[in-house]
Amino acid sequence: MITTKGNSKENIIRFLLIFASVISIITTIGILFSIFFQAIEFFQLKSFWYFLFGTEWSPGQENSKFGALPIFAGTFMITVIALLVAIPVGVGSAIYMSEYSSRLRRNILKPILEILAGIPTVVYGFFAALTIAPAIVSISGWFGLTAAYNSALACGIVMGVMIIPIIASLSDDVLRAVPNSQRNASLALGMTHSETIRHIIVPSAMPGIISAGLLGLSKAIGETMIVVMAAGLRPNLSWNPLEDMTTVTVRIVDSLVGDHAFDSPDTMSAFALGLVLFVVTLVLNMISLSQIRKFKAKYKINTL
Amino acid sequence: MNNQKNHNPFYDPSLSSRHRSARLFKAFTRGSILITLAFLCFFIFDMVRTAYPAMWQSYVKVEVSYNEKSSKISQKAIDKKFRKIVSRAWLRSIPKLLKQQPELMGTTANQWVLADDQVDQYMKGHHHNLKQKQVSVIETLKTNAQIELRWNNIFLSQGDSKLPENAGVYSSLIGSIFTLFVTLAIAFPLGVMTAIHLEEFARDNMLTRIIEVNINNLAAIPSILFGLLGLAVFINLFGLPRSSPLVGGLTLALMTLPIIIVSARAALRSVPDSIRQAGYGLGLTKIQIIQGNVLPIAFPGILTGTIIGLAQAMGETAPLIIIGMIAFIPDSPNSITDAATVLPAQIFTWAGMPERAYVEKTAAGIMVILLILFFLNAAAIYLRKKYEIKW
């Protein structure tokens, strides 16, 4: 009698547990659908191909055009600058922490990186707009160049600093997971410590480092506050990082905080841009996960 | 020396250049960690330096006459030459004060009142838009010691204001607490239940694998897309009130969920199987074992992960902008369905203000949020260290 009573109670609890687990799937589907249907409506009004490859973005007027190429280009430019800052510094820091520093020093450095990772992005945005952007204007002034006060360079640098801890922390874990036998074998053959790192450890850890880089890339593409506060609003197709540029996330925020009607093409363009953002970050994340899985399978590690 | 090299069969002529490149490589890695540290130090120094003036606020001593005229047009309460010197926020409060304390009517008082933000900026030596006439008035006040910088207690006790001298973070702090409360109430039970299901019950089937991949992906979706979800589903579909902590909390809960699930799973996994087997040996059911033994042991780990998740939700701004939590809201919310703003959104709004006085307010708001995040993370680390069990 007691067992059956217990069983029915257990069944209810197990049902609740499964229900809770399914919420995460519902969330993803919810995000996908809420973006997808609005985007479809948008593409019924405006051409899909012009959206991907057109070069003029002029919302809020009659015959408004929605060619997002300059927006993608701006996102690309800022992201590339961010990665140029974050990958060398992040991987370098990770190598220092995992290979050179003492245990004690590592135990101090790791929490400091966590502090950097915990700073809200709105704070980075204020810092970029208040300190870094004017500094870049005056530095480029010394070289006789003119920089905008909302230059892509300022955003890119600060965004790079933001993703350093992401790349450093994951790379550090991966580098430390490389088996010690490989290190010892290389040192026994007479390689110097740095040669061991460069030719043995880093190539072994490469899938994990690539995974960290892709994660940083996806964070940089999806980052909103830094670019909303420090980048421009003007879609600008240019190769000059000192000019102002806009990004996908800036345009999403800009078209949703204005006083447009919810079913106007201006508002719905945000969902079309959101769909692109969703697909790109999802693909990057999938590749990143498959890389780290490859690394885990190779060295039979379960802790990453 | 040369002889030694020639007779040493192990001598490698490239050795010195190899050692040089080794030193260079080490210098590069050390340099990159130093760059990171230098940036952090510079950042903190810059924020503290910008925020420091916001700790003080200018007050002036002027003659105030409370009479019929000043209860109607509050500007008349003070001498004409001081009208640009005192804060308009204080002037506006005169009629209300007279209504509350009618015995003041007909009296004059020589009292300290809040100064205008431009005067405040002048006193702090920053850029200001004062006219020459006003500057000379301030200089006379200065020589008579009738103007001074005082500890700014408005900043932590007042809500937002269009007048910088009267603006504070109180209402946005209350908004943040309401929002985080909703986040915690939703994300904590759901996250822990999901973790229990995946760690203790789930078999390795299709559904389990989909859930696992999905949680990993959810953690990597840009936060702004959660804002689009909140706007399209919670506001447009369910009709929940815009700008409310309820919608903000729900949106942030979905973002915090993966963090709580991952840390709760790690905590449950660290409980050794011998605990469970001992329970079975005593004839307990699986649910009883999880409730009575596994969860209490894993609880500190789960709590640590939850606090870290909440700390991230605390600093999140982008999705809350999309669902409208950046509106100008001077009063603190009374319930989770009132319109509210949160601390990071307040920082964002102030950062976009044209007045110079808001720069120090923004930096001070940043110091407040960084301190809160620091204490949250410190609490998480303390809990982890205190209750960590080595098996």
Side-chain angles (χ1 to χ4, degrees), chain A residues 10 13 17-18 20-21 24-25 27-28 30-31 89 92-93 116 123 126-127 131 161 190 194-195 198 256 262 285, chain B residues 18 21-22 29 32 36 39-40 43 46 193-194 197 201 214 217-218 220 222 228-229 232 236 254 285 287 351 366:
Chain A
E10 297 217 346
I13 293 178
L17 292 179
I18 293 175
S21 318
S24 71
I25 298 182
T27 309
T28 314
I31 289 182
V89 178
S93 307
L116 211 52
V123 176
F126 179 66
F127 183 66
T131 309
V161 173
S194 89
E195 283 165 340
R198 275 179 296 169
L256 286 177
F262 192 73
N285 191 43
Chain B
R18 283 171 61 198
S21 85
T29 62
S32 40
T36 315
F39 180 87
L40 187 65
F43 165 78
D46 190 52
M193 279 160 81
T194 307
H197 174 72
F201 289 101
N214 193 52
N217 282 329
L218 209 56
L228 292 183
L229 169 85
N236 283 337
L254 297 179
T285 63
I287 298 277
I366 285 172

Side-chain angles (χ1 to χ4, degrees), chain B residues 318-340:
Chain B
L320 301 180
I321 291 179
I322 301 288
I323 60 166
M325 291 188 87
I326 45 164
F328 172 70
I329 294 140
D331 299 318
S332 48
N334 291 317
S335 76
I336 56 170
T337 50
D338 287 351

